[in-house]
Amino acid sequence: MFLKPAFVLKSLLVCCFLGLLNNHFLNAQSKAAQIEDLMSLYTEYGQFNGSLLVAEDGEVIYKNGFGKANMEWDIPNTPTTKHRLGSITKQFTAMLILQLVEEGKLKLDVPVSTYLPNYPKATGDKITLHHLLTHSSGIPNYTSFPKFFEETSRNPYTPNDFISLFKDMELEFAPGEKFAYSNSGYFLLGVIIEKVTGKSYEENLQEKIFQPLNMKDTGFDNHDVILKNRASGYEKRGNSYSNAPYLDMSIPYAAGSLYSKVEDLYLWDRALAENKLLSKENKDLLFAPHIKSGGGTYGYGWGTNKMANGSKDSLVVIGHGGGINGFNTIIDRIPANQELVVLLNNTGRTNLGEMSRNIIKIMNELPYDLPQKTLANFLMDEITKNGLEAGLKAFEKQKGSKEYILRENDMNALGYQFLQARKMNEAFAVFELNVAEFPESSNVYDSLGEAYMEAGNKELAILNYKKSIEMDPNNENGKDMLKKIQEN
């Protein structure tokens, strides 16, 4: 029997199409296997404990949980585990604001005092919603206030009562002058949302975002509510863990109060891609380069950076991280390729940015780095077990080992752990060690300056802040701190 030419052509086209589908499936499968191996190694080295989801071309190619959602009961993390999001909350607050703008209830360029008549006019007449959304208001960041974590963060507040802690404070700079991360600004946005709508921030989230998107496992993390599949938060100290200190969730509020799971954040990503909640014009304001921030730009609740893509054009990555007692998180989107990486970790500080970059490299078939054990954790363990002097000696012996990696940020985080625990000798030793290892970094001098300031040694605090500013004239935090020390 002979086949007609048209039938042959159709058969060939079907075969080609099936072949393409098969190649796509195998490619996704290969990438998923690489992601699995990568994250298993991060977990083995104690650097990841949480849930993750990865999507490509708008479709989920990998999701999994690693480590424990609850260490006391040996309950594993899964893609359905609910984690606190920290500052990823800000993108939802920004969405509510733009929805109200689209409804004609808010304007981005009018003063805060328009919506909050009782807010001090000296500052309220200068600050706009745009300033609040872009961290350019100049309002001092309440999480940087003295004894915030030890005292303030443990007490319940109403939103209106809490803004009294910062509303009468002098602005740190003229609104719009520069970017300076401020949880206070996003807290204030939540108060404005409640004032304009007559409903709570939580009710607005449910009615305007979570219910329409069927995000059933996302919400305001009220401490007293029995919440199934909620992860417990832990703090990592070297290679051991402790329960994270208590935080009353009325404090992070519109700046960081939400919980979610990776699968719900995938629904959120799809809603943004498909303009489900806002017109495209207003949605694009979320990601617009409103103000410079570090090496990238900041929009409304989202940051944008570029990532090298081999010989191709740079990948534009839109994302945001979050950190809150016992948790840290990251969501990264590459709209051009419809790629998404969500990492939710419930053991406090870790380098999720590095993990996300490596996953993005896998998805784009670029060389990526395998994780190494961190020397900072090794140092923490040695100091805890054998004391400061023995720990520093062990550090020197391991410093050249290929098994460990010495990172400035890891050492800096360790120094702050000791500082927050008021173990001043250990904190000074770690910060000074970081200065010795990374003498070309402005940030190590800034951190050492902060340690001396906490200890009441103004002379050495000034010396180190000046050194930091000399090396990096754009170190605005150093300038602000130096000014405060010299004024007091």
Side-chain angles (χ1 to χ4, degrees), residues 140-251:
N141 180 19
Y142 66 78
T143 55
S144 297
F145 292 175
K147 296 187 178 179
F148 168 77
F149 287 102
E150 300 94 320
E151 298 177 4
T152 310
S153 69
R154 303 180 65 83
N155 302 316
Y157 286 84
T158 67
N160 283 315
D161 285 343
F162 190 76
I163 63 172
S164 66
L165 298 184
F166 59 78
K167 70 179 184 180
D168 293 313
M169 297 178 74
E170 184 180 344
L171 298 181
E172 294 180 336
F173 52 86
E177 182 181 302
K178 61 185 178 183
F179 175 96
Y181 200 84
S182 175
N183 288 297
S184 306
Y186 270 80
F187 194 104
L188 197 53
L189 286 169
V191 176
I192 291 170
I193 290 166
E194 293 196 357
K195 181 73 173 179
V196 169
T197 63
K199 298 178 180 179
S200 71
Y201 173 69
E202 182 177 0
E203 288 172 323
N204 275 285
L205 287 167
Q206 289 295 338
E207 292 176 14
K208 290 178 171 290
I209 300 177
F210 302 147
Q211 289 174 8
L213 298 184
N214 201 31
M215 294 174 68
K216 295 179 180 179
D217 293 311
T218 304
F220 194 109
D221 197 355
N222 294 297
H223 182 74
D224 58 337
V225 173
I226 303 300
L227 186 63
K228 289 186 178 182
N229 299 324
R230 187 206 312 247
S232 298
Y234 302 95
E235 297 289 351
K236 196 167 190 295
R237 289 178 168 82
N239 290 312
S240 62
Y241 299 93
S242 63
N243 287 304
Y246 175 77
L247 171 70
D248 192 279
M249 294 305 285
S250 66
I251 306 297

Side-chain angles (χ1 to χ4, degrees), residues 59-80:
E59 300 293 332
V60 176
I61 65 167
Y62 183 80
K63 60 181 179 179
N64 205 349
F66 291 86
K68 303 296 181 183
N70 185 286
M71 295 183 182
E72 287 89 344
W73 287 93
D74 254 1
I75 299 170
N77 274 308
T78 74
T80 61

Side-chain angles (χ1 to χ4, degrees), residues 72 91 109 182 227 265 300 310 350 361-362 367 425 454 459:
E72 287 89 344
Q91 58 202 245
D109 58 353
S182 175
L227 186 63
L265 293 175
Y300 292 162
T350 191
K361 287 177 180 178
I362 288 173
N425 290 336
E454 286 283 328
E459 184 178 345

Side-chain angles (χ1 to χ4, degrees), residues 91-92 95-96 98-100 102-103 204-215 267-280 282-283 286:
Q91 58 202 245
F92 294 96
M95 172 60 80
L96 288 178
L98 289 183
Q99 285 177 322
L100 293 171
E102 196 159 274
E103 293 169 16
N204 275 285
L205 287 167
Q206 289 295 338
E207 292 176 14
K208 290 178 171 290
I209 300 177
F210 302 147
Q211 289 174 8
L213 298 184
N214 201 31
M215 294 174 68
L267 297 177
W268 170 237
D269 169 76
R270 290 294 83 211
L272 293 169
E274 297 163 11
N275 305 317
K276 287 185 178 179
L277 297 173
L278 276 176
S279 66
K280 184 179 185 304
N282 280 316
K283 183 209 69 175
L286 290 168

